[in-house]
Coordinates of all heavy atoms in Angstrom, one line a residue:
P273 N -26.6 1.9 -2.4 CA -25.4 1.0 -2.4 C -24.1 1.6 -2.8 O -23.0 1.1 -2.4 CB -25.9 -0.1 -3.4 CG -27.3 0.0 -3.4 CD -27.7 1.5 -3.2
N274 N -24.2 2.7 -3.6 CA -22.9 3.3 -4.1 C -22.6 4.6 -3.4 O -21.7 5.3 -3.8 CB -22.9 3.4 -5.6 CG -23.9 4.5 -6.1 OD1 -24.8 4.8 -5.3 ND2 -23.7 5.0 -7.3
F275 N -23.3 5.0 -2.4 CA -23.1 6.3 -1.7 C -21.7 6.3 -1.1 O -21.3 5.4 -0.5 CB -24.1 6.5 -0.6 CG -24.0 7.9 0.0 CD1 -24.4 9.0 -0.7 CD2 -23.5 8.0 1.3 CE1 -24.2 10.3 -0.1 CE2 -23.4 9.3 1.9 CZ -23.7 10.4 1.2
L276 N -21.0 7.4 -1.4 CA -19.6 7.6 -1.0 C -18.6 6.8 -1.7 O -17.4 6.7 -1.2 CB -19.4 7.5 0.6 CG -20.1 8.6 1.4 CD1 -20.0 8.4 2.9 CD2 -19.5 10.0 1.0
S277 N -18.9 6.1 -2.8 CA -17.9 5.5 -3.7 C -17.1 6.7 -4.3 O -17.5 7.9 -4.1 CB -18.6 4.7 -4.8 OG -19.3 5.5 -5.6
S278 N -16.0 6.4 -5.0 CA -15.2 7.4 -5.5 C -16.0 8.3 -6.5 O -16.0 9.6 -6.3 CB -14.0 6.8 -6.3 OG -13.2 6.1 -5.5
T313 N -11.8 9.5 7.6 CA -11.3 9.4 6.2 C -12.4 9.6 5.2 O -13.6 9.5 5.6 CB -10.6 8.0 6.0 OG1 -9.8 8.1 4.8 CG2 -11.6 6.9 5.9
F334 N -7.6 6.5 3.6 CA -8.4 5.3 3.7 C -7.6 4.1 3.4 O -7.9 3.0 3.8 CB -9.7 5.4 2.8 CG -9.4 5.1 1.4 CD1 -9.4 3.8 0.8 CD2 -9.1 6.2 0.5 CE1 -9.2 3.6 -0.5 CE2 -8.8 6.0 -0.8 CZ -8.9 4.7 -1.4
N335 N -6.5 4.2 2.6 CA -5.8 3.0 2.2 C -4.5 2.8 3.0 O -3.6 2.2 2.5 CB -5.4 3.1 0.7 CG -4.7 4.4 0.3 OD1 -4.5 5.3 1.2 ND2 -4.2 4.5 -0.9
Y350 N -15.6 6.8 9.1 CA -15.2 6.2 7.8 C -16.2 6.6 6.8 O -17.2 6.0 6.6 CB -15.1 4.7 7.9 CG -14.3 4.0 6.8 CD1 -12.9 3.8 7.0 CD2 -14.9 3.5 5.7 CE1 -12.2 3.2 6.0 CE2 -14.2 2.9 4.7 CZ -12.8 2.7 4.8 OH -12.1 2.1 3.9
L351 N -15.8 7.7 6.0 CA -16.7 8.3 5.0 C -16.3 7.9 3.6 O -16.0 8.7 2.8 CB -16.8 9.8 5.2 CG -17.7 10.4 6.2 CD1 -17.3 10.0 7.6 CD2 -17.7 11.9 6.1
F352 N -16.3 6.6 3.4 CA -15.9 6.1 2.1 C -16.5 4.7 1.9 O -16.8 4.0 2.8 CB -14.3 5.9 2.0 CG -13.8 5.8 0.6 CD1 -14.2 6.7 -0.4 CD2 -12.9 4.8 0.3 CE1 -13.7 6.5 -1.7 CE2 -12.5 4.6 -1.0 CZ -12.8 5.5 -2.0
N353 N -16.8 4.4 0.6 CA -17.4 3.2 0.1 C -16.5 2.6 -0.9 O -16.4 3.1 -2.0 CB -18.8 3.5 -0.5 CG -19.6 2.2 -0.7 OD1 -19.2 1.1 -0.5 ND2 -20.8 2.4 -1.3
V354 N -15.8 1.6 -0.5 CA -14.6 1.1 -1.3 C -15.0 0.1 -2.4 O -15.8 -0.8 -2.2 CB -13.6 0.3 -0.4 CG1 -12.4 -0.2 -1.2 CG2 -13.1 1.3 0.8
F355 N -14.6 0.5 -3.6 CA -14.7 -0.4 -4.8 C -13.3 -0.4 -5.5 O -12.6 0.6 -5.5 CB -15.8 0.0 -5.7 CG -17.2 -0.1 -5.2 CD1 -17.8 1.0 -4.6 CD2 -17.9 -1.3 -5.3 CE1 -19.1 0.9 -4.1 CE2 -19.2 -1.4 -4.9 CZ -19.8 -0.3 -4.2
L356 N -13.0 -1.6 -6.1 CA -11.8 -1.6 -6.9 C -11.9 -0.8 -8.2 O -13.0 -0.8 -8.7 CB -11.4 -3.1 -7.2 CG -10.1 -3.4 -7.8 CD1 -9.0 -3.1 -6.8 CD2 -10.0 -4.8 -8.2
N357 N -10.9 -0.2 -8.6 CA -10.9 0.5 -9.9 C -11.4 -0.4 -11.0 O -10.9 -1.5 -11.1 CB -9.5 1.0 -10.2 CG -9.4 1.8 -11.4 OD1 -9.9 1.4 -12.5 ND2 -8.7 3.0 -11.4
D372 N -13.5 -10.3 -5.7 CA -14.5 -10.2 -4.6 C -14.5 -8.8 -4.1 O -13.7 -8.4 -3.2 CB -14.2 -11.2 -3.5 CG -15.2 -11.3 -2.5 OD1 -16.0 -10.3 -2.3 OD2 -15.3 -12.3 -1.7
E373 N -15.4 -7.9 -4.6 CA -15.5 -6.5 -4.2 C -15.7 -6.3 -2.7 O -15.2 -5.5 -2.0 CB -16.5 -5.8 -5.0 CG -16.2 -5.6 -6.4 CD -15.3 -4.4 -6.7 OE1 -14.8 -3.9 -5.8 OE2 -15.2 -4.1 -7.9
D374 N -16.6 -7.2 -2.1 CA -17.0 -7.0 -0.7 C -15.8 -7.3 0.2 O -15.5 -6.6 1.2 CB -18.2 -7.9 -0.3 CG -19.5 -7.3 -0.9 OD1 -19.5 -6.1 -1.3 OD2 -20.5 -8.0 -0.8
T375 N -15.1 -8.4 -0.1 CA -13.9 -8.8 0.7 C -12.8 -7.7 0.6 O -12.2 -7.3 1.6 CB -13.3 -10.1 0.3 OG1 -14.4 -11.1 0.5 CG2 -12.2 -10.5 1.2
Y376 N -12.6 -7.2 -0.6 CA -11.7 -6.1 -0.8 C -12.0 -4.9 0.0 O -11.2 -4.3 0.6 CB -11.6 -5.8 -2.3 CG -10.7 -4.6 -2.7 CD1 -9.4 -4.7 -2.6 CD2 -11.3 -3.4 -3.1 CE1 -8.6 -3.6 -2.9 CE2 -10.5 -2.3 -3.4 CZ -9.2 -2.4 -3.3 OH -8.4 -1.3 -3.6
A377 N -13.3 -4.5 0.0 CA -13.8 -3.3 0.7 C -13.6 -3.5 2.2 O -13.1 -2.7 2.9 CB -15.2 -3.1 0.4
L378 N -14.0 -4.7 2.7 CA -13.9 -5.0 4.1 C -12.4 -5.0 4.6 O -12.1 -4.4 5.6 CB -14.5 -6.4 4.4 CG -14.4 -6.9 5.9 CD1 -15.1 -5.9 6.8 CD2 -14.9 -8.3 6.0
N379 N -11.5 -5.6 3.8 CA -10.1 -5.6 4.1 C -9.6 -4.1 4.2 O -8.8 -3.8 5.2 CB -9.3 -6.3 3.1 CG -9.5 -7.8 3.2 OD1 -10.1 -8.3 4.1 ND2 -8.9 -8.6 2.2
S380 N -10.0 -3.3 3.3 CA -9.5 -1.9 3.3 C -10.0 -1.2 4.6 O -9.2 -0.5 5.2 CB -10.0 -1.1 2.1 OG -9.5 -1.7 0.9
M381 N -11.2 -1.4 5.0 CA -11.8 -0.7 6.2 C -11.1 -1.3 7.4 O -10.8 -0.5 8.3 CB -13.3 -0.9 6.2 CG -13.9 -0.3 7.4 SD -15.8 -0.1 7.2 CE -16.2 -1.8 6.7
S402 N -22.1 4.9 5.0 CA -22.4 4.0 3.9 C -23.0 2.7 4.5 O -22.4 2.0 5.3 CB -21.2 3.6 3.1 OG -21.4 2.5 2.3
R404 N -23.7 -0.1 3.0 CA -22.9 -1.2 2.5 C -21.7 -1.5 3.4 O -21.5 -2.7 3.8 CB -22.5 -1.0 1.0 CG -21.5 -2.1 0.5 CD -21.1 -1.8 -0.9 NE -20.1 -2.8 -1.4 CZ -18.8 -2.5 -1.5 NH1 -18.3 -1.2 -1.2 NH2 -17.9 -3.4 -1.9
M405 N -20.9 -0.5 3.6 CA -19.7 -0.7 4.4 C -20.1 -1.0 5.9 O -19.4 -1.9 6.5 CB -18.8 0.6 4.4 CG -18.3 0.9 3.0 SD -17.3 -0.3 2.2 CE -15.8 -0.2 3.3
L408 N -21.1 -4.7 6.1 CA -19.9 -5.6 6.0 C -19.1 -5.7 7.3 O -18.7 -6.8 7.7 CB -18.9 -5.1 4.9 CG -19.4 -5.2 3.4 CD1 -18.4 -4.5 2.5 CD2 -19.5 -6.7 3.0

Side-chain angles (χ1 to χ4, degrees):
N274 69 338
F275 185 71
L276 290 178
S277 66
S278 295
T313 197
F334 76 90
N335 57 352
Y350 198 86
L351 278 62
F352 196 50
N353 189 0
V354 180
F355 291 93
L356 191 65
N357 182 311
D372 186 338
E373 290 276 14
D374 285 348
T375 301
Y376 175 71
L378 176 64
N379 285 354
S380 297
M381 181 166 50
S402 163
R404 170 180 175 255
M405 298 298 289
L408 288 173

